C-alpha cells in the first residue's frame, strides 16, 4: 500500500516533467540538512507529511466516525548558480508552483472520496543562490471505527 506522500509524489512525477526523477521524501531532506548539503539537481522537490487535523465526528455504541484533514507539503527548490540573490530562479519557481498546483489540486487518490485542496504557498528562503518555496495541500477523509 502506498502512502499519501508517495501517491502525491507519483502524481507530480507524472504531471510535471521538470520534476520527474527529482522528487524526494522527508527522509532525504532530513539527511541533506544534517549533512549541510544540497540536492544534486538544479530543480527539485520534497514531498513531506504535515500531519492531520480533526474536523469533527460522532460516536455511538460500537461506532465512531470522524472527519480528518491530512496535510501534505511540497517543497520546491531551484539552485541559482552565480546568482546570490536568486532573482533568476523566481520565474522558474512560479512555473513549477503553477504546474504542481494544477497536478495536485482537485485530484484525489482512488481510495478517497475527496480531492486535494491547495491551502497555502510560502516562500521559505531565497538566499545564497537557492530558492525554496512550500505548497501545502489538504485532503479530507472519514475515519470509521466499528
Amino acid at each position: 500500500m502506498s502512502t499519501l506522500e508517495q501517491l502525491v509524489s507519483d502524481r507530480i512525477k507524472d504531471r510535471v516533467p521538470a520534476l520527474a526523477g527529482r522528487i524526494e521524501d522527508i527522509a532525504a531532506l532530513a539527511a541533506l540538512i544534517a549533512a549541510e548539503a544540497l540536492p544534486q539537481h538544479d530543480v527539485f522537490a520534497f514531498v513531506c507529511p504535515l500531519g492531520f487535523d480533526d474536523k469533527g465526528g460522532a460516536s455511538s455504541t460500537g461506532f465512531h466516525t470522524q472527519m480528518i484533514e491530512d496535510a501534505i507539503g511540497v517543497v520546491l527548490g531551484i539552485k541559482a548558480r552565480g546568482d546570490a540573490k536568486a532573482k533568476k530562479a523566481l520565474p522558474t519557481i512560479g512555473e513549477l508552483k503553477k504546474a504542481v498546483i494544477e497536478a495536485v489540486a482537485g485530484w484525489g487518490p482512488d481510495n478517497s472520496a475527496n480531492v486535494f485542496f491547495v491551502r497555502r504557498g510560502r516562500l521559505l528562503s531565497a538566499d545564497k543562490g537557492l530558492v525554496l518555496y512550500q505548497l501545502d495541500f489538504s485532503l479530507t477523509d472519514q475515519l470509521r471505527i466499528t
Side-chain angles (χ1 to χ4, degrees):
M1 183 173 158
S2 295
T3 64
L4 195 55
E5 297 80 30
Q6 185 60 52
L7 293 170
V8 170
S9 292
D10 291 346
R11 176 76 176 185
I12 295 169
K13 177 187 73 170
D14 293 343
R15 299 288 177 122
V16 184
L19 293 174
R22 298 171 180 205
I23 304 169
E24 299 285 343
D25 61 15
I26 189 70
L29 178 58
L32 286 170
I33 291 170
E36 296 182 8
L38 292 175
Q40 296 296 317
H41 303 289
D42 288 343
V43 175
F44 53 90
F46 293 96
V47 176
C48 312
L50 298 178
F52 65 88
D53 290 313
D54 164 47
K55 294 297 178 187
S59 291
S60 61
T61 305
F63 194 69
H64 175 78
T65 61
Q66 185 174 357
M67 299 307 291
I68 304 260
E69 185 177 77
D70 275 304
I72 300 290
V74 179
V75 177
L76 302 172
I78 301 283
K79 289 184 197 175
R81 291 188 170 98
D83 183 13
K85 294 183 181 180
K87 288 182 180 182
K88 294 176 189 171
L90 294 177
T92 304
I93 283 289
E95 293 166 14
L96 286 176
K97 177 178 69 172
K98 181 179 185 294
V100 170
I101 289 170
E102 288 175 356
V104 179
W107 164 80
D110 290 339
N111 63 349
S112 178
N114 291 311
V115 296
F116 277 100
F117 285 80
V118 63
R119 293 297 179 195
R120 69 177 165 203
R122 298 281 188 275
L123 182 66
L124 299 178
S125 175
D127 190 31
K128 298 178 185 167
L130 176 66
V131 175
L132 296 174
Y133 192 94
Q134 182 173 328
L135 294 166
D136 295 347
F137 297 92
S138 68
L139 175 70
T140 302
D141 208 351
Q142 187 177 56
L143 172 67
R144 295 180 196 142
I145 300 172
T146 55

